[in-house]
Amino acid sequence: MSLLRFKMVDAAINHTAVEVKAPKNRPSEYFGEQVFGHDQMRRYLSKADYRALMETMEHGRPLTRELADGIAAGMKQWALEHGADHYTHWFQPLTGGTAEKHDSFAEPDGRGGVLEEFSGKLLVQQEPDASSFPSGGIRNTFEARGYSAWDPTSPAFIVDTTLCIPTIFIAYTGEALDYKTPLLRSLEAVDQAATAVCHYFDKSIERVFTYLGWEQEYFLVDEGLWALRPDLMLTGRTLIGHESAKNQQLEDHYFGAIPARVMAFMRELEYESLKLGIPVKTRHNEVAPNQFELAPVFERANQANDHNQLLMTLMEKIARRHHFRVLLHEKPFKGINGSGKHNNWSLGTDTGVNLFSPGKGASENLQFVTFLINAISAVHRNNGLLKAAVMSATNAHRLGAGEAPPAIISTFLGEQLTAVLDKLEKSHGDSAIRFDAKNIFRMSGIAPIPSLLRDNTDRNRTSPFAFTGNRFEFRAVGASDNCAEAMIILNTAMAYELRRFKEAVDEKIEAGMKKEKAIYEELRRMIRESKPIRFDGNGYSEAWREEAARRGLDCESSTPLVFDRYLDPLTLEIFSEMGVLSPVELEARTEVKWETYTKKVQIEGRVLGDIAMNHILPIASKYEAMLLDKVYKMQQIGGLDAGPDIDLIKRIQHHASAIQEGVSELIEARKEANRIENVRLKAIAYHDNVASLFDEIRRHVDKLEEIVDDQMWPLPKYRELLFLR
């Protein structure tokens, strides 16, 4: 091990856990204390302003400028009392992260002093410029106007000393330049479509809400070791590195005892999250070494998405205080599991009914089956588009890798639901649908163990879109993704499906058919048509890939080509009809996706070439020179067998030569791709001709890692990166 590497590894090993002392003992005492939530609104707003704001938040009533002034005054007072001195419109551009530009509350008073000012105008709308964010051609850099507008449905919060106001971000011409705008539109679309269908069963339902429960997976590595890895620093993943002899094969890290340093990080992260109103609930070790998971309880999708974006920022900041770096890349290490962000998605009514839960009576069960089948049909109709929503340069390393859902979208329902749908498909009447209660079973021979409730469905971790009892779990979302992308697609597809369903049922009713019979007939048709998307087997098997192709499912695995689904005629029709994204907005977002893919692969190619040529080959040459000197001296002495050392020299020369040739080919392929002006064709060239060269270069570098003296190897190895102490 090189002296520098030794010192950094030694320093990392000897880090002690940072003690986290919460000023209050119970989460209930500090939960949401940095959020301008309902309790704060009641305290700092007039009764009239509070009632009007609740109408806006719960029923979408428009805000007047006068009302905004009153809310801004109360919000400012609360923020100043909690130590804030700046405010920002906090938005989610198409980079996938968040953005903020801070302005001070202090305004000159004209007499040589300052006053704290914050008006309704500043709360409701700002012009942050932000012209350099990706726009897919909607904005030119010289056309600087871009507007941020307050989203009253997501509460403002304080981070450090800045009041953060969640906002949408749109162009001067009105097109969405962010994730929140289409997410809010999709929530409205599914609300309207689902409420209309709910009226078949319960006229008292006025609204349907979308709920999201995300599960965030991530890796932690020592900051000192991270700083010695240019690939981790610049790309988020290791572009080279031989697998450790021990990694996850013993499954001993999974659900194991959490290391003290990691626990200290988790405690502080949870404390800061709870203060910001993020209802974190679960923490545990994941499958791979150094991999962990955090999950909250369900929330309405808009706020849940804001909370996930905020959490990822918190994670990075808090990790550094504990001498860690957080890795949110979907595949930071070769040979071990990558990280996802499971999106648990459900719909609920303002009357408290989960539309994906079976009921106690015939009507409730018919309502459940109606929404279940519409969801399945929406996934079937848009299976390629759903894959496009989670595909990226980073998540492509994880999907289909035998550790996460395959790059083919299918749904898993379980035995009982499959049997119910099969029976319904073959029936000819409108007999009541029944579901078995949860099975009760006891552990034989272990008297003290209480009776257990067994769910109606098992789990299938190989399914990208699995029904798990009262929700669907979209398991294919990447760890670094903005959840909104998947939610936008799901909600829009579901809204479109529900609208088509209601139109078909209403047409039958108008023709004289009874309502229940019309519903059953339409459900039977949808069951038959969407049957190809249902699969309860092993999604990792080669047999399933062949079967999926026969079923007509989208089996494309090239990331740039998968993005084409955003521009399919059906996609354009669905998004336009539901008012979520216009054709111009879809084209722009697809162009951003192609550009982002190209840039990420381009950066990786440059970093890989730099590491290979400037870090690895010089050390390999140095070690080779040492061996040559040794062979020369052995030959001078005579009578000694230098054969093994000569063979070693030849192996080094072979791998070094292959690396040089590979890097040269990589550079030329990059130059050739860069000459292509069309963004789609350039992305395809980077996929086919640039990224395809990475593995071969890596293979030869990793072989050198096995040969070169460990004391000379310049970069931290997997065995050093992956096992926190």
Side-chain angles (χ1 to χ4, degrees):
M1 184 186 299
S2 68
L3 180 61
L4 175 61
R5 205 170 99 236
F6 172 80
K7 288 180 178 179
M8 297 302 291
V9 172
D10 184 61
I13 289 171
N14 289 299
H15 280 317
T16 56
V18 177
E19 183 62 27
V20 179
K21 295 182 179 179
K24 299 161 188 172
N25 293 324
R26 298 177 182 176
S28 58
E29 296 178 38
Y30 55 84
F31 180 77
E33 69 177 24
Q34 290 178 248
V35 180
F36 194 62
H38 290 285
D39 291 341
Q40 290 79 2
M41 291 175 191
R42 276 193 292 265
R43 179 180 172 189
Y44 287 89
L45 303 181
S46 69
K47 289 183 179 179
D49 286 350
Y50 175 73
R51 283 195 298 268
L53 182 55
M54 289 303 101
E55 283 294 305
T56 297
M57 294 178 67
E58 297 297 329
H59 303 290
R61 303 285 190 270
L63 279 168
T64 64
R65 183 68 68 178
E66 293 74 22
L67 175 60
D69 283 334
I71 295 170
M75 191 182 291
K76 180 192 73 174
Q77 183 183 350
W78 169 78
L80 292 174
E81 289 179 9
H82 286 75
D85 50 31
H86 283 70
Y87 62 92
T88 182
H89 274 200
W90 183 82
F91 58 95
Q92 301 171 28
L94 297 180
T95 58
T98 59
E100 51 198 64
K101 182 182 76 172
H102 299 194
D103 287 302
S104 173
F105 284 117
E107 289 284 349
D109 63 1
R111 298 179 180 179
V114 296
L115 293 173
E116 285 78 19
E117 296 289 346
F118 186 59
S119 65
K121 180 181 179 181
L122 295 175
L123 168 64
V124 170
Q125 175 182 321
Q126 287 204 21
E127 184 191 326
D129 179 1
S131 56
S132 293
F133 282 122
S135 70
I138 286 178
R139 303 175 77 198
N140 292 310
T141 304
F142 63 85
E143 296 173 330
R145 288 194 190 276
Y147 295 111
S148 54
W150 177 36
D151 170 20
T153 64
S154 188
F157 53 91
I158 295 174
V159 174
D160 297 327
T161 61
T162 301
L163 172 67
C164 300
I165 303 159
T167 63
I168 65 170
F169 181 49
I170 60 173
Y172 178 74
T173 48
E175 291 91 357
L177 297 172
D178 66 343
Y179 284 101
K180 181 181 277 284
T181 301
L183 175 62
L184 292 174
R185 291 171 180 167
S186 75
L187 296 175
E188 181 69 20
V190 80
D191 172 22
Q192 293 179 3
T195 300
V197 172
C198 282
H199 287 169
Y200 286 140
F201 312 99
D202 185 352
K203 296 287 187 183
S204 69
I205 293 172
E206 295 184 0
R207 293 200 67 184
V208 171
F209 302 106
T210 302
Y211 291 90
L212 167 63
W214 42 263
E215 304 167 28
Q216 180 70 59
E217 295 176 342
Y218 61 96
F219 281 83
L220 290 175
V221 295
D222 284 296
E223 187 169 33
L225 301 181
W226 171 88
L228 290 175
R229 293 285 312 218
D231 47 0
L232 279 181
M233 289 179 64
L234 299 177
T235 74
R237 76 179 180 109
T238 53
L239 298 172
I240 64 168
H242 196 279
E243 293 181 32
S244 172
K246 177 185 183 297
N247 47 51
Q248 68 184 47
Q249 63 264 54
L250 296 177
E251 288 90 25
D252 52 341
H253 186 261
Y254 191 44
F255 279 27
I258 300 172
R261 286 179 58 206
V262 177
M263 180 62 79
F265 159 77
M266 287 181 169
R267 288 185 61 211
E268 184 174 2
L269 177 61
E270 289 177 355
Y271 172 59
E272 295 296 336
S273 296
L274 290 168
K275 286 200 300 180
L276 287 164
I278 306 173
V280 290
K281 178 74 172 176
T282 302
R283 65 190 184 200
H284 63 83
N285 288 6
E286 254 300 336
V287 175
N290 282 24
Q291 189 185 33
F292 308 94
E293 181 177 300
L294 179 148
V297 297
F298 276 63
E299 298 180 279
R300 291 188 190 176
N302 180 35
Q303 192 166 358
N305 189 63
D306 282 358
H307 280 163
N308 183 249
Q309 290 296 108
L310 179 56
L311 177 99
M312 290 193 287
T313 303
L314 279 177
M315 290 172 75
E316 294 179 354
K317 181 169 66 175
I318 293 171
R320 297 190 68 174
R321 292 207 286 261
H322 293 260
H323 311 292
F324 289 130
R325 286 286 182 157
V326 169
L327 303 181
L328 292 174
H329 194 289
E330 283 72 19
K331 190 73 172 178
F333 300 102
K334 182 182 178 181
I336 61 175
N337 280 18
S339 297
K341 179 152 49 193
H342 304 163
N343 278 207
N344 294 277
W345 172 72
S346 65
L347 301 176
T349 70
D350 58 347
T351 60
V353 174
N354 184 334
L355 295 173
F356 289 143
S357 285
K360 295 180 180 178
S363 178
E364 293 94 333
N365 282 335
L366 179 56
Q367 178 176 267
F368 159 66
V369 169
T370 295
F371 279 90
L372 178 81
I373 294 171
N374 270 274
I376 295 168
S377 183
V379 173
H380 176 242
R381 191 189 301 271
N382 299 278
N383 69 95
L385 181 59
L386 279 169
K387 178 162 59 176
V390 298
M391 264 295 195
S392 65
T394 54
N395 206 21
H397 294 285
R398 170 178 164 265
L399 297 181
E403 64 185 59
I408 302 168
I409 301 298
S410 64
T411 62
F412 166 83
L413 298 180
E415 240 176 71
Q416 185 180 163
L417 275 180
T418 297
V420 167
L421 296 195
D422 288 345
K423 184 177 180 181
L424 180 57
E425 178 190 0
K426 296 171 184 175
S427 67
H428 299 287
D430 52 357
S431 57
I433 300 168
R434 295 181 177 83
F435 296 93
D436 295 336
K438 288 186 177 181
N439 299 319
I440 298 177
F441 67 99
R442 294 184 179 277
M443 299 295 292
S444 59
I446 314 178
I449 301 297
S451 58
L452 305 176
L453 291 177
R454 179 163 45 205
D455 287 292
N456 291 327
T457 62
D458 200 353
R459 289 183 179 270
N460 185 333
R461 66 182 301 273
T462 73
S463 175
F465 200 83
F467 185 75
T468 55
N470 58 3
R471 63 193 183 276
F472 281 97
E473 184 179 18
F474 195 12
R475 297 177 54 87
V477 183
S480 65
D481 284 351
N482 186 317
C483 298
E485 185 79 11
M487 292 295 100
I488 291 165
I489 303 300
L490 273 175
N491 292 332
T492 307
M494 184 65 168
Y496 182 84
E497 207 65 34
L498 289 168
R499 182 178 286 187
R500 296 280 80 77
F501 170 79
K502 189 173 188 305
E503 288 172 353
V505 171
D506 285 351
E507 187 177 328
K508 290 180 173 65
I509 294 173
E510 289 170 5
M513 191 179 291
K514 289 185 177 180
K515 180 180 70 175
E516 284 74 15
K517 184 175 179 59
I519 291 172
Y520 274 103
E521 281 206 2
E522 186 60 19
L523 291 179
R524 278 192 283 270
R525 181 194 65 77
M526 295 171 74
I527 290 172
R528 287 191 294 271
E529 289 186 1
S530 64
K531 207 165 188 177
I533 202 70
R534 288 159 47 193
F535 178 67
D536 288 1
N538 180 9
Y540 295 162
S541 69
E542 185 60 37
W544 164 236
R545 293 187 182 91
E546 297 171 0
E547 173 64 20
R550 284 195 293 270
R551 293 186 183 190
L553 302 183
D554 192 316
C555 298
E556 181 59 63
S557 59
S558 167
T559 301
L561 293 180
V562 169
F563 292 155
D564 287 346
R565 301 290 79 76
Y566 276 97
L567 301 179
D568 285 348
L570 178 61
T571 303
L572 297 173
E573 175 189 330
I574 289 174
F575 275 87
S576 294
E577 181 174 325
M578 304 318 300
V580 175
L581 287 169
S582 68
V584 170
E585 289 171 319
L586 280 169
E587 289 168 10
R589 283 162 191 270
T590 310
E591 186 169 313
V592 169
K593 287 180 175 294
W594 282 320
E595 287 179 344
T596 302
Y597 178 86
T598 295
K599 289 173 181 177
K600 287 191 174 182
V601 176
Q602 184 182 70
I603 291 169
E604 287 189 350
R606 288 173 173 171
V607 173
L608 178 58
D610 172 64
I611 292 175
M613 300 302 294
N614 297 318
H615 293 252
I616 304 304
L617 287 186
I619 293 299
S621 296
K622 188 175 181 180
Y623 185 56
E624 182 184 22
M626 291 172 59
L627 291 174
L628 284 168
D629 183 62
K630 177 185 176 183
V631 168
Y632 173 77
K633 291 176 179 177
M634 290 174 71
Q635 290 174 340
Q636 292 298 310
I637 294 172
L640 298 175
D641 183 10
D645 292 296
I646 293 173
D647 289 341
L648 203 56
I649 291 168
K650 290 179 179 179
R651 288 168 59 194
I652 293 172
Q653 288 180 335
H654 167 69
H655 294 304
S657 176
I659 290 169
Q660 288 176 312
E661 291 176 8
V663 171
S664 295
E665 187 179 354
L666 178 63
I667 292 171
E668 288 305 312
R670 220 170 51 234
K671 288 179 179 178
E672 188 68 27
N674 289 338
R675 296 189 188 102
I676 301 172
E677 293 186 4
N678 180 281
V679 290
R680 177 180 179 271
L681 297 180
K682 181 182 286 189
I684 292 171
Y686 262 91
H687 176 275
D688 294 349
N689 305 327
V690 178
S692 59
L693 301 174
F694 289 1
D695 285 347
E696 184 64 11
I697 296 172
R698 177 179 188 146
R699 185 176 72 83
H700 290 287
V701 172
D702 291 354
K703 288 295 183 182
L704 285 179
E705 184 181 324
E706 290 185 291
I707 297 171
V708 173
D709 187 345
D710 184 62
Q711 295 184 45
M712 299 175 64
W713 194 253
L715 305 177
K717 297 184 177 182
Y718 271 27
R719 67 169 184 265
E720 295 155 0
L721 288 165
L722 282 173
F723 297 94
L724 291 168
R725 296 156 176 90

